Every structure is written in C-alpha cells, then in structure tokens.
Amino acid sequence: QGSSVSSLSSLRQKTPARRGFQKLTKLVGVPSKDDLGTLLDRLQGSGTSVVKANIVKMSLEPDEITALAAALAGAQRLHKLKISQVTCGTPGEDIHNLLTGIVALPQLSTLEVSYCQLAEAPSPIFSVQGLQSLRLNHNILTSLPSHTSALAALRTLDVSRNRMLVVPPPIMQLPVLSTLDISHNRIAILPVSLLRLKNLSSLCVHHNPLRNATKMQMSFPTLDRDAIQKLLAQQHGDFALQSLSINQDTPGSERSLELIETNMNVADLPEYLGDDEMFFTVAKMRHAFLNSEEGLPAVLADKRIFTQVHTLHLSHSGLKQIPACIDRLAKLEELRVDHNVLQALPRTIGALKKLRRLFCAHNKLAEIPAQLHLLSKLEVLDFSHNRITAIPTAIVALKNLTTLSVSQNPVEGVPKSILSRGGGSLIAYLRELLSGNVETSRMQLMVLGQSGVGKSSLLACLMNQDIRNRGEHRAETVVYQ
C-alpha cells in the first residue's frame, strides 16, 4: 500500500467475499484475536502514518467494532474517514461506538457515514472541532442534534436521502457553511433563517415537496445565493422577508426578533425561523396581527424561542386575549400589549415575578388584575384609555411602583385632577388614602382693601359668580374659607 496511504477499501478489493473483519485479518496472516491496531501497524509499519481510511461493505461483530475503534483512535494523522454500507447488530449504537475514537483525531477534516441505516447522528461526530466536510447521506435521519452547531469549521454538509420534514434548525448556526445538500427528503418549507448563513453559496433541495417552488427551480442540481433568496421569497413573500429581522451583533450578545407589519400566520413562526435554540431576549412584534386562539399560545410556549426573553412587545396586533401560558416567560421584565382589543388579562400574569414594566393602554380592560400585587418588582403600570372603574388598593402597596397611569378611565373615588396627573401623584394620593391620611388643597383666604377697589369682584370671579348681577353690595372685609 505504500507508506503514505492506508485504505481498507483497497484491501477489501483483494477479498473475493468482501465480508467480515476476520476474512480481512486472515488474508494478511494476522490472527483474528489481534486488534486492528496491530493489523494497521503491519500494513503500514506505524499506526501514525495513516491519513485515509475507508470502511466499506463490512459486517462487523461487537468485538470487531471495539478493535476498529481502538485502531482509529491511534491514527493521529488520519484526515479522511469513510464508513459506508457497514452492517452491525444495532446500527445507531454500534456506529456510535465505532466512532468514539475519532474525537481524539486532531487532523480529521472529512467524514462520511452513509448507507448505515442511522436513525440518529452519532454524537462523537459533533466533538471533532476541525471537521470541514460531513456526509450523512442515505440514512433514515429525521433531524440533527442541537450540538451540530458546535462544528464551527464545517463548510460542507450532506444530509440528502434521509427522512427530514424540516431543515434541521442547528444548521442555521454553522458560521462558515458554504455547501448544503438536503435533497431527497420530505421538506415542504425552507426557513428564512437560511439567509443568516452568509457563506452559503450552494444549496441542493431537489426532490423535496417544497411549497410554491417551480419545476425549473427543482430541476437545478444546486441553487446559488440569488436563487435561494428568490425561492424563499416565493415561499414566504417579499414583504414577510423584509418585515422579519433577527439581530445578534456578536456571539453571546442579546438576540432580538422584530416582526413588524406582516400578516403571516404566527403559528408558522417556529418553522419560519427554523432555529432550534434561538433564545431571543428581546421580541418585538408590532402591527403583526398575531391574534390566534392557537397560534400565539403555541409560539409563546415554544421553549426554543422565548424562554430567555426579557422584553416582549405585542402592541398594535389585534390581540383579543393573552394566553395563560404567558407565565412560562419566567425572565420577562417588560411587557407591552397596548393598542389591542384585550378585555381581560390572564390570572397567570401574577407568576411573572421579574416583571418591572407593564403597558396595557388603549384596550377594553374593565379591571386591573388583583394578581399584580404579587409582582414586587413592578415599577411602571400603564392602564390608561380603558374602562377601569376601580384601582385595587393592594396595587399601590407595591414598594417599587413609581408610575401608575389610569387616565381616560371612569375611575370612581379619585379626583379627576389627580387622575390626569398620573405618575407619582396618583400613587402618593392612593397611598395616603390607604394609610388614613388625606391631604387637601383647601386654605383660608382673607382679602383686605379699601372700599371700591374690587375685593368682591375678585372673590366673585374666584367663585365663578356673575359679577354683573351682584347689586350694590360692597364688602369692607371678606373672609372666605
């Protein structure tokens, strides 16, 4: 074989049966009880000289898999490994065991595991940091694990001829991916987040039931970036593409989602984003017409998107109700649901222990939920322009509350002058009421002056009286309280 390349496939070609590790060892005169490391050493003189290995059309027993894994682990110069049409007892588990040794291979850059009936991708694959090309074609995969995104150097990914219904979300987190083959699957819609792959220049999607795709598009073996964007526009609409914005300037920074002025079905949002662990911290969906009895609850409860969100804007979106699952947003600090048609807030809102700011103005709310008194961190409450008639006394007992706005509401028992001021004035007034002390603006006024200088006229004006019909009465001294 020479000193630079070791190929198990070339060894296989000399074997008429092309089956079994024991036949291979017998061919070169190595007892079957010896491990594959010894075999490779005898073929090459040193296990460290192996740079390429093909394991093709083999039927392996458990002990042979262990031997082969040990041999691979010792091939420190191995940069290309192909495992194809390998049969064993339990394909997923045995292939996983076979690949355990590749984690320690510093130069491995190309890996193919095809025709192996894999239902799950073996986890050792995703620990090979230097991997640049990965082919998992001709298996029965339905998805890829979330830690696929750990392959930061991956440039080529082939998952064709599997059973995928959607583009695996972790793919959208591969920073340098340039070639993606997802052909011959069952994918109906491509996620917009494919555009986040700035280096993606070649996409194979043929033989998928893609929605709104033309026959011409599906006939091309690969699509370039312009063709990819055109296909996405056909599936989602140009306006939807323009209205969706996903921002994350630097790794580890806050990621924000903006969905503005679009009539897309909110139930499609997880599939539309196509990301398994987006973990948005800021989500702004204004003028998005998100109201849906099933769609919005499903999206808010989706652990892949909103579990880390601390700011959520749903204003101007035609919302008729906020789903009870809002309590799952445990880290929420600001919630804006103003300018909708809400008639009530869910009781579960009392579970948002970190909520600091709540904006519910311009709705049809008839009451302020009593559960808000459980939110000790509340600082700002805006319920202006609603139908509220009473303010729960427990609300004003919140120590951190600095702003309370209920203007333009038929609130009873509070002077309009106080209501119109809002902010700290209303809170101070209500807290005085709660404590039993009431401040008033009444004071004693004494007007002194000579006759005819206008004392009575001044008082009449202050009291909104008509000074033209007050007769000849003149007051030398007037006391008014």
Side-chain angles (χ1 to χ4, degrees):
Q1 294 296 322
S3 60
S4 61
V5 177
S6 172
S7 173
L8 293 180
S9 64
S10 61
L11 184 61
R12 169 186 56 79
Q13 292 171 2
K14 296 180 181 180
T15 308
R18 296 188 179 183
R19 282 284 190 178
F21 173 68
Q22 292 190 14
K23 292 184 176 62
L24 292 176
T25 56
K26 289 177 181 177
L27 177 68
V28 294
V30 179
S32 58
K33 63 180 180 179
D34 288 353
D35 62 23
L36 190 58
T38 303
L39 171 62
L40 291 177
D41 282 343
R42 297 215 179 170
L43 288 172
Q44 295 293 336
S46 172
T48 58
S49 63
V50 180
V51 295
K52 180 180 178 182
N54 292 335
I55 306 171
V56 180
K57 290 187 177 180
M58 285 188 180
S59 178
L60 299 175
E61 299 297 328
D63 58 335
E64 298 167 346
I65 291 173
T66 302
L68 192 55
L72 290 174
Q76 292 296 299
R77 291 187 57 200
L78 187 69
H79 69 80
K80 184 176 182 179
L81 173 62
K82 178 179 180 180
I83 301 174
S84 181
Q85 302 181 64
V86 171
T87 59
C88 42
T90 307
E93 181 179 349
D94 289 340
I95 297 297
H96 178 282
N97 294 335
L98 177 61
L99 293 173
T100 53
I102 69 172
V103 176
L105 301 181
Q107 298 188 36
L108 186 64
S109 61
T110 301
L111 174 63
E112 177 180 338
V113 186
S114 59
Y115 294 96
C116 290
Q117 292 295 302
L118 292 178
E120 296 182 0
S123 59
I125 293 175
F126 307 103
S127 298
V128 184
Q129 297 298 316
L131 202 60
Q132 297 181 21
S133 176
L134 174 61
R135 300 184 184 278
L136 298 171
N137 52 295
H138 291 83
N139 286 293
I140 53 174
L141 300 173
T142 57
S143 63
L144 292 177
S146 60
H147 44 277
T148 302
S149 58
L151 299 177
L154 196 66
R155 297 182 179 276
T156 300
L157 176 62
D158 183 355
V159 288
S160 62
R161 296 182 184 273
N162 279 282
R163 300 179 181 179
M164 297 181 177
L165 298 175
V166 298
V167 179
I171 289 178
M172 268 59 75
Q173 300 180 42
L174 298 173
V176 297
L177 189 68
S178 59
T179 301
L180 174 62
D181 190 347
I182 52 174
S183 60
H184 292 273
N185 277 281
R186 304 171 184 179
I187 298 168
I189 186 171
L190 297 177
V192 169
S193 49
L194 275 174
L195 295 177
R196 292 169 49 206
L197 298 173
K198 299 185 182 301
N199 294 301
L200 186 64
S201 58
S202 177
L203 174 67
C204 298
V205 294
H206 55 86
H207 290 85
N208 278 289
L210 288 179
R211 188 174 67 191
N212 297 337
T214 65
K215 291 183 179 180
M216 181 174 293
Q217 286 172 320
M218 297 306 294
S219 66
F220 281 99
T222 59
L223 301 177
D224 60 19
R225 192 162 187 84
D226 290 339
I228 294 170
Q229 187 159 356
K230 184 177 180 180
L231 180 55
L232 287 171
Q234 287 177 203
Q235 289 206 297
H236 301 288
D238 290 311
F239 190 66
L241 290 179
Q242 295 169 2
S243 65
L244 179 65
S245 174
I246 300 174
N247 300 315
Q248 186 181 31
D249 296 333
T250 57
S253 65
E254 292 189 345
R255 177 178 283 164
S256 64
L257 163 71
E258 292 190 5
L259 187 62
I260 303 172
E261 294 184 353
T262 177
N263 57 359
M264 69 170 289
N265 187 352
V266 66
D268 292 336
L269 187 57
E271 182 179 31
Y272 187 86
L273 295 172
D275 202 318
D276 190 25
E277 295 179 351
M278 295 294 286
F279 293 132
F280 290 111
T281 52
V282 179
K284 299 179 180 180
M285 295 181 278
R286 299 189 300 272
H287 297 281
F289 302 103
L290 297 174
N291 186 64
S292 170
E293 293 184 0
E294 298 180 357
L296 186 58
V299 170
L300 291 182
D302 196 316
K303 295 181 180 180
R304 301 173 300 172
I305 302 176
F306 290 118
T307 54
Q308 304 295 318
V309 71
H310 62 67
T311 301
L312 178 60
H313 292 191
L314 299 170
S315 55
H316 295 277
S317 296
L319 284 177
K320 295 180 181 178
Q321 62 180 0
I322 297 176
C325 63
I326 191 76
D327 62 341
R328 298 189 182 184
L329 308 186
K331 297 187 177 182
L332 195 63
E333 296 182 9
E334 177 176 315
L335 175 61
R336 290 182 178 268
V337 290
D338 53 285
H339 292 85
N340 284 294
V341 286
L342 299 173
Q343 297 185 9
L345 296 179
R347 294 182 178 181
T348 53
I349 200 169
L352 302 177
K353 301 301 184 181
K354 293 190 176 183
L355 194 66
R356 296 179 180 274
R357 297 171 293 277
L358 176 60
F359 300 89
C360 302
H362 294 274
N363 278 284
K364 298 181 179 180
L365 299 171
E367 63 178 5
I368 298 176
Q371 290 78 11
L372 292 182
H373 82 277
L374 300 173
L375 308 182
S376 59
K377 294 187 177 183
L378 267 180
E379 299 172 357
V380 178
L381 278 177
D382 186 357
F383 282 88
S384 58
H385 295 272
N386 277 282
R387 302 172 181 178
I388 294 168
T389 58
I391 302 175
T393 54
I395 296 297
V396 298
L398 294 171
K399 295 182 179 180
N400 292 310
L401 189 64
T402 58
T403 302
L404 173 62
S405 179
V406 289
S407 60
Q408 303 301 313
N409 279 283
V411 178
E412 300 174 355
V414 180
K416 291 183 178 180
S417 59
I418 298 293
L419 287 175
S420 61
R421 294 181 194 176
S425 299
L426 176 58
I427 295 173
Y429 176 81
L430 294 173
R431 284 175 178 166
E432 289 293 339
L433 283 179
L434 194 61
S435 65
N437 298 321
V438 180
E439 290 186 1
T440 69
S441 57
R442 294 182 179 181
M443 61 177 290
Q444 189 177 55
L445 174 65
M446 179 178 291
V447 181
L448 303 176
Q450 296 180 355
S451 177
V453 296
K455 299 184 298 295
S456 298
S457 297
L458 174 59
L459 289 174
C461 289
L462 291 175
M463 298 170 65
N464 282 331
Q465 294 179 354
D466 189 353
I467 63 175
R468 294 174 296 179
N469 300 319
R470 57 185 177 82
E472 297 298 325
H473 175 71
R474 296 287 187 272
E476 293 295 332
T477 301
V478 179
V479 178
Y480 173 68
Q481 183 173 354

